[in-house]
Amino acid sequence: GQQVQQSPPASLVLQEGENAELQCTYSTTLNSMQWFYQRPGGRLVSLLYSPSWAEQRGGRLTSSAASNESRSSLHISSSQITDSGTYLCAMERPNNNNAPRFGAGTKLSVKP
Amino acid sequence: EAAVTQSPRSKVAVTGGKVTLSCHQTNNHDYMYWYRQDTGHGLRLIHYSYVADSTEKGDIPDGYKASRPSQENFSLILELASLSQTAVYFCASSDEGGEDTQYFGPGTRLLVL
C-alpha cells in the first residue's frame, strides 16, 4: 500500500537556535499534506496544512512540497527548547475517502 | 477551538474482555477517526466514519469494531481484547476528511494484561 516515510527516521538533536528540516516522502501521488506536533503523552496538534501542495508558513515554521518528487518538508527556524517533541506528517489518500496516512514521526530534542 | 474528548483516559483490561473507548466532538464535523499509536509506527488508522450510522475500515481494522450512533459520538470496541492491542488510542475529527485540518482528542492509554 501507500507508504509515508519520515526523515530523520527516528530522532534529531539540535542546539538551541539551529534550524531543522524534517521530510516526508511517499510512494504515490497524494493531494495534500499536514504536519502535526505531539508532546510526550500528549495529543496531536496540527501545525500546518497544505492543500494542493502550496507552501505554508506559520511563525518559525514553513512547509513546502515537491509533488513531482513525492516529498514534503517542514522547516523550523531558530529552534527553541520548547520545540522539543515529536513531529508527524500525514498525507491525504484520495482513493480511501481522503483518510490520512501518517508517517512514524521524528522526535526532535532541542538542547540549551 | 475545536473540542474532541475521549473516555476513559486510561484503562487496564484483561485478555479476552470487552473494551469500549468513547469519543465525543463538539465541532459539528462529519468525519471522525480512530487511530492507535505504537512506538515506531506513528499513527495507524483503525476505523473512520464520514456520516452517522456508518463506519469504514481503515488500515488495521482486525480485532476492532466501530460505532457512530450520532454525528458527535464515535466508539471503538474491542470485543475480545488481546495483549497486542495494548497501545495509545486517539480519536480525531475533521470537517472534510483529509482535505481539512484534523483535531485530535487527548488519547486513551490501554493496557491489556
Side-chain angles (χ1 to χ4, degrees), chain A residues 2 26-32 53 67-68 70 92-95:
Chain A
Q2 301 154 341
Y26 43 94
S27 58
T28 187
T29 301
L30 297 164
N31 288 350
S32 68
W53 303 106
S67 59
N68 58 338
S70 300
E92 172 199 345
R93 292 178 288 174
N95 294 329

Side-chain angles (χ1 to χ4, degrees), chain A residues 96-97 99, chain B residues 21 30-34 45-59 61 64-71 73-77:
Chain A
N96 197 12
N97 285 312
Chain B
L21 307 182
D30 288 328
Y31 285 77
M32 295 187 74
Y33 306 85
W34 275 107
L45 182 64
I46 306 171
H47 286 287
Y48 65 99
S49 168
Y50 53 85
V51 67
D53 294 322
S54 178
T55 63
E56 305 293 330
K57 293 181 179 179
D59 298 314
Y64 302 93
K65 292 183 180 180
S67 173
R68 183 90 181 270
S70 64
Q71 186 190 42
N73 296 294
F74 192 35
S75 297
L76 185 68
I77 303 148

Side-chain angles (χ1 to χ4, degrees), chain A residues 38-93:
Chain A
Q38 185 182 30
R39 287 199 184 280
R43 78 175 70 199
L44 279 76
V45 176
S46 179
L47 295 173
L48 293 170
Y49 171 74
S50 296
S52 303
W53 303 106
E55 182 178 282
Q56 298 292 321
R57 293 179 180 270
R60 294 181 293 105
L61 303 178
T62 303
S63 68
S64 59
S67 59
N68 58 338
E69 298 178 15
S70 300
R71 174 175 52 86
S72 64
S73 301
L74 177 69
H75 304 267
I76 305 173
S77 62
S78 304
S79 61
Q80 300 176 1
I81 295 172
T82 53
D83 292 334
S84 298
T86 299
Y87 292 79
L88 300 97
C89 63
M91 306 295 185
E92 172 199 345
R93 292 178 288 174

